[in-house]
Amino acid sequence: MPELPEVQAVCDGLRQKILNRVVQAVQVHECRLRWPVKIDELSRLITGQEVVGVRRIAKYIVIQFRNEVSLLIHLGMSGRLGLVDANSSLRKHDHVIFSLMGEEELRFNDPRRFGMVEAVENSELEEHPRIRNLGVEPFSPEFNAKSFYELSRGSKVAIKKFIMDSKRLVGVGNIYASEALFRAGIHPNTQAGRVGLKRWEQLVVSIVDVLTKAIKRGGTTIRDFENLDGVAGYFTKELNVYGKDGQPCSCCERVIRKMRHSARSTYYCPGCQH
DNA sequence: CGGGCGGCCTGGAGGC
DNA sequence: TGCCTCCAGGCCGCCC
């Protein structure tokens, strides 16, 4: 489901609503997520703790507590967080429940169970197996044309896969990869090692730009993304190619095409992208 | 080592 | 109505 802008939207909503609030109890109804939820550890580390911050690392939501513990949440493909009245009825796939002081609950719902919920000591966060191998953040100075040009020399992977590889760059998933490549005028199949410095400059700008605009619109909703308030993302209206195969390109009159990169759909305009 | 691919899951859509 | 296949916004880990 969520790429960087959608995770950012959830984090922003969370920050407004749960900052300074205390977790009274944790209940796990289903521990078989992407990684097994360690119930005892989770409960021991955050029960009774006050939320002092909410931030995003790559596509992870990081909820920080007073006791130097962070709750690491990944939404996978279908995960959602909802803040609801404590006595509202449980829904199917509500796997982890955080009871907050004030008769509200934060509920992690995830039909496909590709998500993750884990409490980590802050001192161990940087070296956490899911965190330590992450590449650069798209809004950091390290994400620039020169270093990515150099990083990509000799690589034969398609540029679409290259920019989606979280060991290099985090946050760019299937939608925004297609959209950024369209904006940069680069064909998704181009070998990363054959993208020159000029085109890397265009691509870096396109990625930052598309993510920035999507954040401003509250993300993209294709089927079911919702922020904490149950509101869909409005970037959907500004998509140029994603999900638009068979439709005419907004820039030239050519028809948008769909292709596959290792079982994932890629959309591009054969007229605008080379 | 880089790169390709299967697998993890449920559910919705569409074809027959 | 049902049954089947395909598809989905992520990402790990195995294989060559």
Side-chain angles (χ1 to χ4, degrees):
Chain A
M1 180 215 300
E3 303 181 35
L4 184 150
E6 292 75 39
V7 175
Q8 187 68 50
V10 173
C11 285
D12 292 344
L14 270 180
R15 193 176 306 111
Q16 279 182 36
K17 303 207 160 158
I18 68 167
L19 204 59
N20 303 321
R21 297 184 67 178
V22 172
V23 173
Q24 286 184 309
V26 183
Q27 286 174 63
V28 178
H29 293 112
E30 174 59 81
C31 60
R32 293 172 302 165
L33 304 185
R34 181 68 172 83
W35 310 100
V37 179
K38 299 171 207 157
I39 307 173
D40 294 344
E41 183 186 74
L42 182 62
S43 176
R44 175 172 57 83
L45 288 175
I46 69 170
T47 301
Q49 290 302 320
E50 179 190 351
V51 175
V52 294
V54 181
R55 64 190 177 114
R56 177 191 61 70
I57 298 178
K59 294 175 188 167
Y60 293 87
I61 296 159
V62 183
I63 302 176
Q64 299 164 282
F65 292 91
R66 178 81 62 202
N67 61 342
E68 299 291 315
V69 165
S70 290
L71 181 58
L72 210 49
I73 298 177
H74 197 289
L75 301 174
M77 292 279 269
S78 58
R80 288 192 201 199
L81 283 173
L83 188 64
V84 297
D85 199 278
N87 43 38
S88 65
S89 51
L90 273 191
R91 297 202 305 190
K92 199 173 182 185
H93 309 301
D94 276 344
H95 303 316
V96 185
I97 313 293
F98 304 93
S99 304
L100 303 179
M101 237 162 55
E103 298 301 302
E104 278 192 312
E105 290 180 350
L106 182 66
R107 296 181 180 173
F108 176 82
N109 181 289
D110 186 6
R112 293 175 71 180
R113 291 193 271 121
F114 289 172
M116 169 187 136
V117 176
E118 187 179 336
V120 183
E121 304 270 3
N122 286 354
S123 58
E124 293 166 15
L125 190 57
E126 296 278 296
E127 283 307 308
H128 188 280
R130 308 274 76 80
I131 301 293
R132 70 176 170 221
N133 294 321
L134 293 174
V136 306
E137 288 281 342
F139 297 122
S140 73
E142 292 86 62
F143 182 49
N144 61 73
K146 189 165 176 287
S147 64
F148 272 71
Y149 168 74
E150 279 159 19
L151 192 60
S152 61
R153 290 313 84 192
S155 171
K156 295 188 169 173
V157 229
I159 188 67
K160 161 129 187 298
K161 291 202 72 183
F162 193 90
I163 60 173
M164 284 178 68
D165 184 345
S166 64
K167 290 194 298 298
R168 306 184 177 101
L169 174 67
V170 302
V172 177
N174 211 30
I175 295 179
Y176 299 111
S178 282
E179 291 297 316
L181 287 165
F182 170 79
R183 285 161 177 255
I186 300 170
H187 193 288
N189 264 353
T190 311
Q191 289 184 0
R194 305 188 64 122
V195 174
L197 184 57
K198 262 265 148 44
R199 311 191 84 202
W200 264 112
E201 282 166 5
Q202 292 172 312
L203 185 51
V204 166
V205 168
S206 298
I207 289 170
V208 170
D209 200 49
V210 82
L211 294 176
T212 303
K213 292 212 164 91
I215 289 169
K216 283 192 182 137
R217 300 281 179 270
T220 300
T221 297
I222 297 296
R223 40 171 31 78
D224 57 6
F225 169 73
E226 289 178 354
N227 69 12
L228 256 209
D229 295 313
V231 175
Y234 288 99
F235 191 73
T236 319
K237 289 189 290 192
E238 290 172 50
L239 296 175
N240 287 300
V241 288
Y242 189 86
K244 296 193 181 290
D245 50 316
Q247 299 178 37
C249 172
S250 53
C251 287
C252 67
E253 59 274 32
R254 299 285 296 275
V255 171
I256 308 291
R257 298 249 290 268
K258 176 178 176 175
M259 62 185 296
R260 296 196 149 260
H261 283 103
S262 46
R264 313 209 60 191
S265 295
T266 302
Y267 302 86
Y268 69 102
C269 169
C272 297
Q273 295 173 256
H274 300 283

